[in-house]
Amino acid sequence: MDRVHITDVAPRDGLQNQAVHASTAHKLALVERLAAAGIGSVEITSFVSPKAVPQMADAADLLPQVQARLPALRSSVLVPNRKGLERAHAAGAHEIAVVLSATETMNRKNINMGLDEAIAVSEQTLQAALALGLRTRAYVAVAFDCPFEGETPLDRVVDLSLRMTKAGAHEIVIADTIGSASPGMVKERMGALTQAIAADKLAVHFHDTRGMGAANAWAALEAGIRRFDASVGGIGGCPFAPGAAGNLATEDLVLLAERSGFSTGISLPGLLDAIDLAQEVLQRPLGGRSIAWLRKQRDSASGTHLKRPQGLHQSPTQLAPPPG
Ligand code: COA
Ligand code: ZN
């Protein structure tokens, strides 16, 4: 069966923008539930300025704990510059992601660099990460529209993706940072990108701002893409991109993929357990478009097709009481 690979970005993209700050113990517990649900790859945190994103200030504390408890999990971390890479490496990171926005203004707002400087810093960071033997991802952010500059030229997205590939990125993540893409745009853009770069090196990262996350994922699947970012419960959004709502929810993507003949290795009841935990931590209701139906299936005695598979990874630890 055709496999779909999902990186859950809830602990980073999801938690970076929340009013309630999750504790390190809560973040660890969330990652454990994701692993228990069968998620094989998680973006754990970011090594960014704690002044820019205070929610990620515990990165150096969290990452080694995750890697010690879940050695089989692919744990990736976002780094915006060399300093971030150095901090990630010192904390024992095996995989990093750089973030290059496709427009001048978005780079300035996000990482305080212009486009040319951001390209150079991303290239240098990738090369340094490769020299350290790390696995690398490169985000090409605002790859559809920029909240400041409007529609992003497609040839620039292709050019930046090629440059990141040449700098050694193992995976290019085409990101719809504000969730403005439509399936037609995804078809066009991923079609052009797969002409330039092998499909198995490309991933997509959708936000569900306009309710098109699942439709966009389908368009990407049809374009041959099998690597996806998603966020359990649909938590997410960039604090520096106005109008960005939550990510495409992992549970919606898993349901879409599994119901369409793809395998994900991910358990939907396991994801519901992770959402229950995230709700407790963030103290608000969470979940993608399918959440009501999924919960009904779980709660009904006849919901046999949502039974938990046995023996998936480690069992989650008990949730510590919320801080304060
Ligand atoms: N981690 C921690 N601290 C960092 C850092 C990093 N990766 N990079 C720089 N810093 C520190 C510097 O050491 C310096 O500290 P000091 O004031 O104590 O001397 C301070 O931040 C300013 O450094 P500078 O290089 O001038 O950075 P800046 O103020 O221009 O900010 C970034 C640039 C990239 C560090 C900042 O914009 C950032 O962290 N952005 C991340 C945005 C993000 O996470 N967006 C969401 C995900 S896409
Ligand atoms: Zn995002």
Side-chain angles (χ1 to χ4, degrees):
M1 205 190 297
D2 220 346
R3 183 84 172 189
V4 164
H5 304 273
I6 298 177
T7 295
D8 199 296
V9 296
R12 195 279 299 170
D13 207 349
L15 296 182
Q16 72 183 5
N17 199 18
Q18 302 295 322
V20 177
H21 284 216
S23 69
T24 308
H26 283 156
K27 292 174 183 177
L28 178 61
L30 176 61
V31 176
E32 286 188 298
R33 290 221 181 166
L34 292 172
I39 298 264
S41 169
V42 175
E43 193 167 75
I44 305 292
T45 183
S46 56
F47 287 84
V48 298
S49 160
K51 282 181 204 143
V53 188
Q55 290 90 336
M56 300 288 117
D58 63 347
D61 208 13
L62 174 64
L63 180 65
Q65 293 188 52
V66 170
Q67 294 190 149
R69 288 198 73 102
L70 302 162
L73 182 71
R74 250 180 75 188
S75 294
S76 183
V77 297
L78 185 143
V79 303
N81 55 15
R82 285 294 285 276
K83 172 149 189 183
L85 173 64
E86 280 157 23
R87 289 179 60 220
H89 181 56
H94 302 303
E95 177 168 342
I96 58 104
V98 299
V99 56
L100 171 64
S101 297
T103 65
E104 179 76 18
T105 319
M106 191 63 225
N107 280 302
R108 289 230 173 269
K109 300 277 182 189
N110 195 38
I111 55 173
N112 196 25
M113 298 172 207
L115 180 57
D116 289 341
E117 188 187 358
I119 293 170
V121 167
S122 295
E123 286 173 339
Q124 288 157 15
T125 306
L126 285 170
Q127 283 156 2
L130 285 177
L132 293 168
L134 307 188
R135 194 176 185 282
T136 57
R137 311 174 88 210
Y139 280 102
V140 177
V142 295
F144 293 85
D145 293 286
C146 171
F148 308 103
E149 297 189 19
E151 186 169 325
T152 306
L154 172 56
D155 54 359
R156 195 187 303 154
V157 176
V158 175
D159 177 54
L160 294 178
S161 301
L162 278 170
R163 290 181 75 152
M164 293 302 104
T165 306
K166 290 198 180 103
H170 296 122
E171 194 175 316
I172 308 294
V173 190
I174 302 299
D176 179 19
T177 309
I178 58 170
S180 67
S182 59
M185 262 180 120
V186 173
K187 183 179 176 188
E188 183 202 17
R189 292 190 172 218
M190 298 320 294
L193 282 156
T194 50
Q195 295 292 308
I197 297 169
D200 70 351
K201 292 196 78 170
L202 291 167
V204 284
H205 174 114
F206 293 124
H207 283 257
D208 209 9
T209 315
R210 302 185 189 180
M212 295 210 193
N216 289 337
W218 181 251
L221 278 168
E222 292 229 288
I225 303 302
R226 296 292 179 268
R227 297 184 186 280
F228 292 79
D229 280 5
S231 172
V232 78
I235 334 164
C238 175
F240 308 103
N247 292 62
L248 168 62
T250 309
E251 61 274 20
D252 289 349
L253 178 58
V254 169
L255 190 59
L256 170 101
E258 298 271 348
R259 294 280 295 162
S260 306
F262 296 93
S263 74
T264 62
I266 298 168
S267 143
L268 285 163
L271 292 179
L272 291 177
D273 289 345
I275 295 168
D276 289 346
L277 172 69
Q279 289 194 153
E280 272 181 65
V281 173
L282 298 177
Q283 296 158 35
R284 65 184 176 88
L286 299 170
R289 312 271 155 188
S290 60
I291 192 70
W293 184 82
L294 289 173
R295 286 214 172 98
K296 225 164 108 191
Q297 295 299 304
R298 177 174 65 175
D299 296 345
S300 79
S302 60
T304 46
H305 55 291
L306 278 189
K307 278 238 173 76
R308 279 185 185 81
Q310 297 298 310
L312 269 174
H313 300 261
Q314 289 94 332
S315 63
T317 46
Q318 284 304 106
L319 173 61

